[in-house]
Coordinates of all heavy atoms in Angstrom, one line a residue:
M704 N 5.0 9.0 1.9 CA 4.3 9.5 3.1 C 3.3 10.5 2.7 O 3.4 11.2 1.7 CB 5.4 10.2 4.0 CG 6.4 9.2 4.6 SD 5.5 8.0 5.6 CE 6.8 6.8 6.0
L705 N 2.3 10.7 3.6 CA 1.2 11.6 3.3 C 1.3 12.8 4.2 O 1.7 12.8 5.3 CB -0.1 10.8 3.7 CG -0.3 9.4 3.0 CD1 -1.6 8.8 3.5 CD2 -0.4 9.5 1.5
D706 N 0.8 13.9 3.6 CA 0.7 15.1 4.4 C -0.7 15.1 5.1 O -1.5 14.2 5.0 CB 1.0 16.4 3.6 CG -0.1 16.7 2.6 OD1 -1.3 16.2 2.8 OD2 0.1 17.5 1.7
E707 N -1.0 16.2 5.9 CA -2.2 16.3 6.7 C -3.5 16.0 5.9 O -4.3 15.1 6.3 CB -2.3 17.6 7.3 CG -1.3 18.0 8.4 CD -1.7 17.4 9.7 OE1 -2.9 17.4 10.1 OE2 -0.8 16.8 10.3
D708 N -3.6 16.7 4.8 CA -4.8 16.6 4.0 C -4.9 15.2 3.4 O -6.0 14.6 3.3 CB -4.9 17.6 2.9 CG -5.1 19.0 3.5 OD1 -5.5 19.1 4.6 OD2 -4.8 20.0 2.7
E709 N -3.8 14.7 2.9 CA -3.8 13.4 2.2 C -4.1 12.3 3.3 O -4.8 11.3 3.0 CB -2.4 13.1 1.6 CG -2.2 13.9 0.4 CD -0.7 14.0 0.0 OE1 0.1 13.5 0.7 OE2 -0.4 14.7 -1.0
Y710 N -3.6 12.5 4.5 CA -3.9 11.5 5.5 C -5.4 11.5 5.9 O -6.0 10.5 6.1 CB -3.0 11.8 6.7 CG -3.3 10.7 7.8 CD1 -2.8 9.4 7.7 CD2 -4.2 11.0 8.9 CE1 -3.1 8.5 8.7 CE2 -4.5 10.1 9.8 CZ -3.9 8.8 9.7 OH -4.3 7.9 10.6
D711 N -5.9 12.7 6.0 CA -7.4 12.8 6.3 C -8.2 12.0 5.3 O -9.1 11.3 5.6 CB -7.8 14.3 6.3 CG -7.4 15.0 7.6 OD1 -7.0 14.3 8.5 OD2 -7.6 16.2 7.6
K712 N -7.9 12.2 4.0 CA -8.6 11.6 2.9 C -8.3 10.0 3.1 O -9.3 9.3 3.0 CB -8.0 12.1 1.6 CG -8.5 11.4 0.4 CD -9.9 11.9 -0.1 CE -10.3 11.2 -1.4 NZ -11.7 11.1 -1.5
A713 N -7.1 9.7 3.3 CA -6.8 8.2 3.4 C -7.5 7.6 4.6 O -8.0 6.5 4.4 CB -5.3 8.0 3.6
S714 N -7.6 8.3 5.7 CA -8.3 7.7 6.8 C -9.8 7.6 6.6 O -10.4 6.7 7.1 CB -7.9 8.4 8.1 OG -8.8 9.5 8.4
E715 N -10.3 8.5 5.8 CA -11.7 8.4 5.3 C -11.9 7.1 4.5 O -12.9 6.4 4.8 CB -12.2 9.6 4.5 CG -12.9 10.7 5.2 CD -14.0 10.2 6.1 OE1 -14.9 9.5 5.6 OE2 -13.9 10.4 7.4
L716 N -11.1 6.9 3.6 CA -11.1 5.7 2.7 C -10.9 4.5 3.5 O -11.5 3.4 3.2 CB -10.1 5.8 1.6 CG -10.3 7.0 0.6 CD1 -9.1 7.0 -0.3 CD2 -11.5 6.8 -0.2
Y717 N -10.1 4.6 4.5 CA -9.9 3.4 5.4 C -11.2 3.0 6.2 O -11.6 1.9 6.2 CB -8.8 3.8 6.4 CG -8.3 2.6 7.2 CD1 -7.7 1.5 6.6 CD2 -8.3 2.7 8.6 CE1 -7.2 0.5 7.4 CE2 -7.8 1.7 9.4 CZ -7.2 0.6 8.8 OH -6.7 -0.5 9.5
K718 N -11.8 4.1 6.7 CA -13.1 3.8 7.4 C -14.1 3.3 6.5 O -14.9 2.4 6.8 CB -13.6 5.1 8.0 CG -12.9 5.4 9.4 CD -13.5 6.7 10.0 CE -12.6 7.9 9.8 NZ -13.2 9.2 10.2
E719 N -14.1 3.8 5.2 CA -15.1 3.4 4.2 C -14.8 1.9 3.9 O -15.8 1.1 3.7 CB -14.8 4.2 2.9 CG -16.0 4.5 2.1 CD -15.7 5.5 1.1 OE1 -15.2 5.1 0.0 OE2 -15.9 6.7 1.3
G720 N -13.6 1.5 3.9 CA -13.3 0.1 3.7 C -13.9 -0.8 4.8 O -14.4 -1.9 4.5
F721 N -14.0 -0.3 6.0 CA -14.6 -1.1 7.0 C -16.1 -1.1 6.9 O -16.8 -2.1 7.2 CB -14.3 -0.6 8.4 CG -12.9 -1.0 8.8 CD1 -11.8 -0.1 8.9 CD2 -12.7 -2.3 9.2 CE1 -10.6 -0.5 9.2 CE2 -11.4 -2.8 9.5 CZ -10.3 -1.9 9.6
R722 N -16.7 0.0 6.4 CA -18.1 0.1 6.2 C -18.5 -0.9 5.0 O -19.7 -1.4 5.0 CB -18.5 1.5 5.8 CG -18.7 2.4 7.0 CD -19.5 3.6 6.7 NE -18.9 4.5 5.8 CZ -18.1 5.5 6.1 NH1 -17.8 5.7 7.4 NH2 -17.6 6.3 5.2
N723 N -17.6 -1.2 4.1 CA -17.9 -2.0 3.0 C -17.8 -3.5 3.4 O -18.0 -4.4 2.5 CB -16.9 -1.8 1.9 CG -17.2 -0.5 1.1 OD1 -18.2 0.1 1.3 ND2 -16.2 0.0 0.4
I724 N -17.6 -3.8 4.6 CA -17.3 -5.1 5.0 C -18.3 -6.2 4.6 O -18.0 -7.3 4.2 CB -17.0 -5.2 6.6 CG1 -16.0 -6.2 6.9 CG2 -18.3 -5.3 7.4 CD1 -15.2 -5.8 8.1
K725 N -19.6 -5.8 4.6 CA -20.6 -6.7 4.2 C -20.8 -6.8 2.7 O -21.2 -7.8 2.1 CB -21.9 -6.4 4.8 CG -22.0 -6.8 6.3 CD -23.2 -6.4 7.0 CE -23.1 -6.6 8.5 NZ -24.0 -5.8 9.2
A726 N -20.5 -5.7 2.0 CA -20.8 -5.6 0.6 C -19.8 -6.4 -0.2 O -20.2 -7.0 -1.3 CB -20.8 -4.1 0.1
K727 N -18.6 -6.4 0.2 CA -17.6 -7.1 -0.6 C -16.8 -8.1 0.2 O -16.7 -7.9 1.4 CB -16.6 -6.0 -1.2 CG -17.3 -5.2 -2.3 CD -16.4 -4.3 -3.0 CE -17.1 -3.4 -4.0 NZ -16.3 -2.3 -4.5
T728 N -16.3 -9.0 -0.5 CA -15.7 -10.1 0.2 C -14.2 -9.9 0.5 O -13.8 -9.9 1.7 CB -15.9 -11.5 -0.5 OG1 -15.6 -11.3 -1.8 CG2 -17.3 -12.0 -0.3
S729 N -13.5 -9.6 -0.5 CA -12.0 -9.6 -0.3 C -11.5 -8.3 0.3 O -12.1 -7.2 0.0 CB -11.2 -10.0 -1.5 OG -10.9 -8.8 -2.3
R730 N -10.6 -8.4 1.1 CA -9.9 -7.2 1.8 C -9.4 -6.3 0.7 O -9.5 -5.1 0.9 CB -8.8 -7.8 2.6 CG -8.1 -7.0 3.5 CD -7.1 -7.9 4.3 NE -6.1 -7.0 5.0 CZ -6.4 -6.5 6.1 NH1 -7.5 -6.7 6.7 NH2 -5.5 -5.7 6.7
E731 N -8.7 -6.8 -0.3 CA -8.2 -6.0 -1.4 C -9.3 -5.1 -2.1 O -9.1 -4.0 -2.4 CB -7.5 -6.8 -2.4 CG -6.1 -7.4 -2.0 CD -6.3 -8.6 -1.0 OE1 -7.4 -9.2 -1.1 OE2 -5.4 -8.8 -0.2
E732 N -10.4 -5.8 -2.3 CA -11.5 -5.1 -2.9 C -12.0 -4.0 -2.1 O -12.3 -2.9 -2.5 CB -12.7 -6.0 -3.2 CG -12.7 -6.6 -4.6 CD -13.9 -7.5 -4.8 OE1 -14.9 -7.0 -5.2 OE2 -13.8 -8.7 -4.4
R733 N -12.2 -4.3 -0.8 CA -12.8 -3.3 0.1 C -11.9 -2.1 0.3 O -12.4 -1.0 0.4 CB -13.0 -3.9 1.5 CG -14.3 -4.7 1.6 CD -14.6 -5.1 3.0 NE -13.9 -6.3 3.4 CZ -13.1 -6.4 4.4 NH1 -12.8 -5.4 5.2 NH2 -12.6 -7.6 4.7
F734 N -10.6 -2.3 0.3 CA -9.7 -1.2 0.5 C -9.0 -0.7 -0.8 O -8.1 0.1 -0.7 CB -8.6 -1.6 1.6 CG -9.2 -1.8 2.9 CD1 -9.5 -3.0 3.5 CD2 -9.5 -0.6 3.7 CE1 -10.0 -3.2 4.7 CE2 -10.0 -0.8 5.0 CZ -10.3 -2.0 5.5
K735 N -9.6 -1.1 -1.9 CA -9.0 -0.8 -3.2 C -8.9 0.7 -3.4 O -7.8 1.2 -3.8 CB -9.8 -1.4 -4.3 CG -9.1 -1.3 -5.7 CD -9.9 -2.0 -6.7 CE -9.1 -2.1 -8.0 NZ -8.7 -0.7 -8.5
T736 N -9.9 1.5 -3.0 CA -9.9 2.9 -3.2 C -8.7 3.5 -2.4 O -8.0 4.4 -2.9 CB -11.2 3.6 -2.7 OG1 -12.2 2.6 -2.8 CG2 -11.5 4.8 -3.5
L737 N -8.6 3.1 -1.2 CA -7.5 3.6 -0.3 C -6.1 3.2 -0.9 O -5.2 4.0 -1.0 CB -7.6 3.0 1.1 CG -6.4 3.2 2.0 CD1 -6.2 4.7 2.3 CD2 -6.6 2.5 3.3
L738 N -6.0 1.9 -1.3 CA -4.7 1.4 -1.8 C -4.3 2.2 -3.1 O -3.2 2.6 -3.4 CB -4.7 -0.1 -2.0 CG -4.9 -0.9 -0.7 CD1 -5.1 -2.4 -1.1 CD2 -3.8 -0.7 0.3
D739 N -5.3 2.4 -4.0 CA -5.1 3.1 -5.2 C -4.7 4.5 -5.0 O -3.8 5.1 -5.6 CB -6.4 3.1 -6.1 CG -6.6 1.8 -6.8 OD1 -5.7 0.9 -6.7 OD2 -7.7 1.6 -7.3
Y740 N -5.4 5.1 -4.0 CA -5.1 6.5 -3.6 C -3.7 6.7 -3.1 O -3.0 7.5 -3.5 CB -6.1 7.0 -2.5 CG -5.9 8.4 -2.0 CD1 -6.2 9.5 -2.8 CD2 -5.4 8.6 -0.7 CE1 -6.0 10.7 -2.4 CE2 -5.2 9.9 -0.3 CZ -5.6 10.9 -1.1 OH -5.4 12.2 -0.6
Y741 N -3.3 5.7 -2.3 CA -2.0 5.8 -1.7 C -0.9 5.6 -2.8 O 0.1 6.3 -2.8 CB -1.8 4.6 -0.7 CG -0.6 4.7 0.1 CD1 -0.4 5.7 1.1 CD2 0.5 3.8 -0.1 CE1 0.8 5.8 1.8 CE2 1.7 3.9 0.6 CZ 1.8 4.9 1.6 OH 3.0 5.0 2.3
E742 N -1.2 4.7 -3.7 CA -0.3 4.5 -4.8 C -0.1 5.7 -5.7 O 1.0 6.0 -6.1 CB -0.7 3.2 -5.7 CG 0.4 2.9 -6.7 CD -0.1 1.7 -7.6 OE1 -1.2 1.2 -7.4 OE2 0.7 1.4 -8.5
K743 N -1.2 6.3 -5.9 CA -1.2 7.5 -6.8 C -0.3 8.6 -6.2 O 0.4 9.3 -6.8 CB -2.7 8.1 -7.0 CG -2.8 9.0 -8.1 CD -4.3 9.4 -8.3 CE -4.7 10.5 -7.3 NZ -6.1 10.9 -7.4
I744 N -0.5 8.8 -4.9 CA 0.3 9.8 -4.2 C 1.8 9.5 -4.0 O 2.6 10.3 -4.2 CB -0.4 10.1 -2.8 CG1 -1.7 10.9 -3.0 CG2 0.5 11.0 -1.9 CD1 -2.5 11.0 -1.8
T745 N 2.0 8.3 -3.5 CA 3.4 7.9 -3.1 C 4.1 7.1 -4.2 O 5.3 7.0 -4.1 CB 3.4 7.1 -1.9 OG1 2.7 5.8 -2.1 CG2 2.6 7.8 -0.7
G746 N 3.4 6.6 -5.2 CA 4.0 5.7 -6.2 C 4.3 4.4 -5.6 O 4.9 3.5 -6.3
F747 N 3.9 4.1 -4.4 CA 4.2 2.8 -3.8 C 3.0 2.0 -3.7 O 1.9 2.4 -3.3 CB 4.7 3.1 -2.4 CG 5.1 1.8 -1.7 CD1 6.3 1.1 -2.0 CD2 4.4 1.2 -0.7 CE1 6.7 -0.1 -1.4 CE2 4.7 0.1 0.0 CZ 5.9 -0.6 -0.4
K748 N 3.1 0.7 -4.2 CA 2.0 -0.2 -4.3 C 1.8 -0.9 -2.9 O 2.4 -2.0 -2.8 CB 2.1 -1.1 -5.4 CG 0.8 -1.7 -5.9 CD 0.9 -2.4 -7.2 CE -0.4 -3.1 -7.6 NZ -1.7 -2.3 -7.5
E749 N 1.1 -0.3 -2.0 CA 0.9 -0.9 -0.7 C -0.2 -1.9 -0.8 O -1.2 -1.7 -1.5 CB 0.6 0.2 0.3 CG 0.3 -0.2 1.7 CD 1.5 -1.0 2.3 OE1 2.5 -0.3 2.6 OE2 1.4 -2.2 2.6
T750 N -0.1 -3.0 -0.1 CA -1.2 -4.0 -0.2 C -1.8 -4.2 1.2 O -2.9 -4.8 1.3 CB -0.6 -5.4 -0.6 OG1 0.4 -5.8 0.3 CG2 -0.2 -5.4 -2.0
E751 N -1.3 -3.6 2.2 CA -1.8 -3.7 3.6 C -2.4 -2.4 4.0 O -1.6 -1.4 4.3 CB -0.7 -4.2 4.5 CG -1.1 -4.3 5.9 CD -2.3 -5.1 6.1 OE1 -2.3 -6.3 5.9 OE2 -3.4 -4.5 6.5
P752 N -3.7 -2.3 4.0 CA -4.3 -1.0 4.4 C -3.9 -0.4 5.7 O -3.6 0.8 5.9 CB -5.8 -1.3 4.4 CG -6.0 -2.5 3.7 CD -4.7 -3.3 3.8
A753 N -3.7 -1.3 6.7 CA -3.3 -0.9 8.1 C -1.9 -0.3 8.1 O -1.6 0.6 8.9 CB -3.4 -2.0 9.0
A754 N -1.1 -0.8 7.1 CA 0.3 -0.3 7.1 C 0.3 1.2 6.7 O 1.1 2.0 7.1 CB 1.1 -1.1 6.1
I755 N -0.7 1.6 5.8 CA -0.8 3.0 5.4 C -1.0 3.9 6.7 O -0.4 4.9 6.8 CB -1.9 3.2 4.4 CG1 -1.5 2.4 3.1 CG2 -2.1 4.7 4.1 CD1 -2.5 2.4 2.0
M756 N -1.9 3.4 7.5 CA -2.2 4.2 8.7 C -1.0 4.2 9.6 O -0.7 5.1 10.3 CB -3.5 3.6 9.4 CG -4.7 3.6 8.6 SD -5.3 5.2 8.2 CE -5.2 5.2 6.4
H757 N -0.3 3.1 9.6 CA 0.8 2.9 10.5 C 2.0 3.8 10.0 O 2.7 4.4 10.9 CB 1.3 1.5 10.5 CG 2.4 1.2 11.5 ND1 2.3 1.2 12.8 CD2 3.8 1.1 11.2 CE1 3.5 1.1 13.4 NE2 4.4 1.0 12.4
H758 N 2.2 4.0 8.7 CA 3.2 4.9 8.2 C 3.0 6.2 8.8 O 4.0 6.9 9.2 CB 3.1 5.0 6.7 CG 3.5 3.8 5.9 ND1 4.4 2.9 6.3 CD2 3.0 3.3 4.7 CE1 4.5 2.0 5.4 NE2 3.7 2.2 4.5
R759 N 1.8 6.6 8.9 CA 1.5 7.9 9.5 C 1.9 8.0 10.9 O 2.5 9.0 11.3 CB 0.0 8.2 9.3 CG -0.6 9.3 10.1 CD 0.1 10.6 9.6 NE -0.6 11.7 10.4 CZ -0.9 12.9 9.8 NH1 -0.6 13.1 8.6 NH2 -1.4 13.8 10.5
I760 N 1.6 7.0 11.7 CA 1.9 7.1 13.1 C 3.5 7.1 13.3 O 4.0 7.8 14.1 CB 1.3 5.9 13.8 CG1 -0.2 6.1 13.9 CG2 1.9 5.7 15.2 CD1 -1.0 5.0 14.5
S761 N 4.2 6.3 12.5 CA 5.6 6.3 12.6 C 6.2 7.6 12.2 O 7.3 8.0 12.7 CB 6.3 5.1 11.9 OG 5.9 5.1 10.5
Q762 N 5.5 8.3 11.4 CA 6.0 9.6 10.9 C 5.7 10.7 11.9 O 6.6 11.6 12.2 CB 5.4 10.0 9.6 CG 6.0 11.3 9.0 CD 5.3 11.7 7.7 OE1 4.2 11.1 7.3 NE2 5.8 12.6 7.0
Y763 N 4.5 10.8 12.4 CA 4.1 11.9 13.3 C 3.9 11.5 14.7 O 3.7 12.4 15.5 CB 2.7 12.4 12.8 CG 2.8 13.1 11.5 CD1 2.4 12.5 10.3 CD2 3.3 14.4 11.4 CE1 2.5 13.2 9.1 CE2 3.4 15.1 10.2 CZ 3.0 14.5 9.0 OH 3.1 15.1 7.9
G764 N 4.0 10.3 15.1 CA 3.8 9.9 16.5 C 2.3 9.6 16.7 O 1.5 9.9 15.8
P765 N 2.0 9.1 17.9 CA 0.6 8.8 18.2 C -0.2 10.1 18.4 O 0.3 11.1 18.6 CB 0.7 8.0 19.5 CG 2.0 8.6 20.1 CD 2.9 8.9 19.0
P766 N -1.6 10.0 18.3 CA -2.4 11.1 18.5 C -2.3 11.6 19.9 O -2.1 10.8 20.9 CB -3.8 10.7 18.1 CG -3.7 9.2 18.2 CD -2.3 8.8 18.0
C767 N -2.5 12.9 20.1 CA -2.6 13.5 21.5 C -3.8 12.9 22.3 O -4.9 12.8 21.7 CB -2.8 15.0 21.3 SG -3.1 15.8 22.9
E768 N -3.5 12.5 23.5 CA -4.6 11.9 24.3 C -5.6 12.9 24.7 O -6.7 12.6 25.2 CB -4.1 11.1 25.4 CG -3.1 11.7 26.4 CD -1.7 11.7 25.9 OE1 -1.4 11.5 24.7 OE2 -0.8 11.9 26.8
V769 N -5.3 14.2 24.6 CA -6.3 15.2 25.0 C -7.2 15.7 23.8 O -8.4 15.7 23.8 CB -5.6 16.5 25.6 CG1 -6.6 17.6 25.9 CG2 -5.0 16.1 26.9
C770 N -6.5 16.1 22.7 CA -7.3 16.7 21.6 C -7.3 15.7 20.4 O -8.1 16.0 19.4 CB -6.7 18.0 21.2 SG -5.1 18.0 20.4
G771 N -6.6 14.7 20.4 CA -6.6 13.7 19.3 C -5.8 14.1 18.0 O -5.8 13.3 17.1
K772 N -5.2 15.3 18.1 CA -4.3 15.6 16.9 C -3.0 14.9 17.1 O -2.5 14.6 18.2 CB -4.0 17.1 17.0 CG -5.2 18.0 16.9 CD -5.3 18.6 15.5 CE -6.4 19.7 15.5 NZ -7.2 19.8 14.3
P773 N -2.4 14.5 15.9 CA -1.1 13.8 16.0 C 0.0 14.7 16.5 O 0.0 15.9 16.2 CB -0.9 13.3 14.6 CG -1.7 14.2 13.7 CD -2.8 14.7 14.5
Y774 N 0.8 14.2 17.3 CA 2.1 14.9 17.7 C 2.9 15.0 16.4 O 2.8 14.2 15.5 CB 2.9 14.1 18.7 CG 2.2 14.1 20.1 CD1 1.6 13.0 20.6 CD2 2.2 15.3 20.8 CE1 1.0 13.0 21.9 CE2 1.6 15.3 22.1 CZ 1.0 14.1 22.6 OH 0.4 14.1 23.8
R775 N 3.6 16.1 16.3 CA 4.3 16.3 15.0 C 5.5 15.3 14.8 O 5.8 15.0 13.7 CB 4.9 17.7 15.0 CG 3.8 18.8 15.2 CD 2.6 18.6 14.3 NE 2.9 18.7 12.9 CZ 2.0 18.9 12.0 NH1 0.7 18.8 12.3 NH2 2.3 19.0 10.7
T776 N 6.0 14.8 15.8 CA 7.1 13.8 15.6 C 6.9 12.8 16.8 O 6.3 13.1 17.8 CB 8.5 14.3 15.7 OG1 8.8 14.6 17.1 CG2 8.7 15.6 14.9
P777 N 7.4 11.5 16.6 CA 7.3 10.6 17.6 C 8.0 11.0 18.9 O 7.8 10.5 20.0 CB 7.9 9.3 17.0 CG 7.8 9.5 15.6 CD 7.9 11.0 15.3
Q778 N 9.0 11.9 18.7 CA 9.8 12.4 19.9 C 9.2 13.7 20.5 O 9.7 14.1 21.5 CB 11.2 12.7 19.4 CG 12.0 11.5 19.0 CD 11.7 11.1 17.6 OE1 11.4 11.9 16.8 NE2 11.8 9.8 17.3
A779 N 8.1 14.2 20.0 CA 7.6 15.5 20.5 C 7.2 15.3 22.0 O 6.7 14.3 22.5 CB 6.3 15.8 19.8
S780 N 7.6 16.4 22.8 CA 7.3 16.3 24.2 C 6.0 17.0 24.6 O 5.5 16.8 25.7 CB 8.4 16.9 25.0 OG 8.6 18.2 24.6
F781 N 5.4 17.8 23.7 CA 4.1 18.3 23.9 C 3.4 18.5 22.6 O 3.9 18.4 21.5 CB 4.2 19.7 24.6 CG 4.8 20.8 23.7 CD1 4.0 21.6 23.0 CD2 6.2 20.9 23.6 CE1 4.5 22.6 22.2 CE2 6.7 21.9 22.7 CZ 5.9 22.7 22.1
C782 N 2.0 18.6 22.7 CA 1.1 18.7 21.6 C 1.2 20.1 21.0 O 0.9 21.1 21.8 CB -0.3 18.3 22.0 SG -1.5 18.6 20.7
A783 N 1.4 20.2 19.7 CA 1.5 21.6 19.1 C 0.1 22.2 19.0 O 0.0 23.4 19.0 CB 2.1 21.5 17.7
A784 N -0.9 21.4 19.0 CA -2.3 21.9 18.9 C -2.9 22.4 20.2 O -3.4 23.5 20.2 CB -3.2 20.9 18.3
C785 N -2.7 21.7 21.3 CA -3.4 22.1 22.5 C -2.4 22.3 23.7 O -2.8 22.8 24.7 CB -4.5 21.1 22.9 SG -3.8 19.6 23.6
G786 N -1.1 22.0 23.4 CA -0.1 22.2 24.5 C 0.0 21.2 25.5 O 0.8 21.3 26.4
N787 N -0.8 20.1 25.4 CA -0.8 19.0 26.3 C 0.6 18.4 26.4 O 1.2 18.1 25.3 CB -1.8 18.0 26.0 CG -1.7 16.7 26.8 OD1 -1.6 16.8 28.0 ND2 -1.7 15.6 26.2
K788 N 1.2 18.2 27.6 CA 2.5 17.6 27.7 C 2.3 16.0 27.6 O 1.4 15.5 28.2 CB 3.1 18.0 29.0 CG 3.5 19.4 29.1 CD 4.9 19.6 29.6 CE 5.4 21.1 29.6 NZ 4.4 22.1 29.3
H789 N 3.2 15.4 26.9 CA 3.2 14.0 26.7 C 3.2 13.2 28.0 O 4.0 13.5 28.8 CB 4.5 13.6 25.9 CG 4.2 12.9 24.7 ND1 3.3 11.8 24.6 CD2 4.7 13.1 23.4 CE1 3.3 11.4 23.3 NE2 4.1 12.1 22.6
Ligands
ZN57 ZN1 -3.4 18.0 22.0

């Protein structure tokens, strides 16, 4: 699992993977930086880039619909950042 900073970095690499869409053909190649990064941090060889983003959501819950920060847990009843109630 990734912490805040690691997730920010991972999500940058994820977006980068989409930007590379024309430059490279295979999905593995495009998201290699992200997959390598994830493996380095977690020791887990993930092959599905979207799964990395999904791990984060299952850990922290969906982003707040007001400020976009993730809820701290999927069970959180309000946003820790802006106080918005779920
Ligand atoms: Zn919020």
